[in-house]
Amino acid sequence: WTFLIWGMIHGLWLAAHRYLSTRNADAPTSDPLPLRAIKVLVTFHLVCLAWLFFRAESLGQAMEMLGNLGRNWHVTPFAQYAVATFAFFLVPLFTYEAWVERQTNLLALTEVRWPFRAAIYVYVILMLLYFPAPGVNEFIYFQF
């Protein structure tokens, strides 16, 4: 039943999308950015919700997980770790991207002083040492 519900959610969403797309065929093809962002967010969350049914071992388990989505909200150690890891990787990357954006030369990093480049190289090496690739997990389709 869980696979049937998973497929129905995707099918209904696709049918609604096609219906709305053909109904508004005369409208301009590109939506404004805020509307596109809303569409992407709604689609993403609906697909994630559908995957809950795909992954559940039974309909009862899926319903229990759905019921738990809005309860017992608290910051877990995993959430703290995920936010810290996210910040650890993205803050330096965004800082570098902002710096490169202001430069006219894409190879500007090769022209900066050695201590600054060394700090970046050490940072990258530390990221590789402290955050190795995750272990191999069994592909989900092999579990059936």
Side-chain angles (χ1 to χ4, degrees):
W1 288 108
T2 56
F3 294 131
L4 183 64
I5 292 172
W6 174 75
M8 284 181 11
I9 291 172
H10 281 286
L12 288 172
W13 188 247
L14 182 60
H17 170 72
R18 294 244 171 109
Y19 173 75
L20 293 172
S21 295
T22 57
R23 196 178 74 156
N24 296 331
D26 297 333
T29 56
S30 93
D31 294 327
L33 183 61
L35 182 59
R36 281 187 301 186
I38 290 170
K39 287 180 176 182
V40 167
L41 284 172
V42 168
T43 300
F44 173 78
H45 285 89
L46 191 67
V47 168
C48 287
L49 181 76
W51 277 107
L52 186 140
F53 286 97
F54 181 84
R55 188 64 178 105
E57 294 178 8
S58 68
L59 190 56
Q61 184 185 35
M63 298 313 282
E64 182 181 346
M65 287 190 283
L66 272 176
N68 287 332
L69 282 177
R71 285 185 280 191
N72 299 329
W73 282 46
H74 58 279
V75 178
T76 62
F78 175 74
Q80 292 172 344
Y81 171 77
V83 168
T85 304
F86 194 71
F88 182 78
F89 283 112
L90 289 184
V91 168
L93 178 63
F94 286 160
T95 302
Y96 173 71
E97 288 290 330
W99 178 76
V100 167
E101 189 70 28
R102 290 190 205 125
Q103 307 300 316
T104 57
N105 180 7
L106 291 178
L107 296 175
L109 182 61
T110 61
E111 298 168 359
V112 298
R113 292 187 306 229
W114 174 245
F116 183 70
R117 277 193 293 162
I120 291 175
Y121 297 150
V122 167
Y123 178 78
V124 170
I125 291 169
L126 287 174
M127 283 196 319
L128 293 172
L129 290 174
Y130 288 112
F131 299 103
V136 177
N137 291 328
E138 185 178 354
F139 190 55
I140 191 171
Y141 294 113
F142 293 147
Q143 297 176 10
F144 301 104

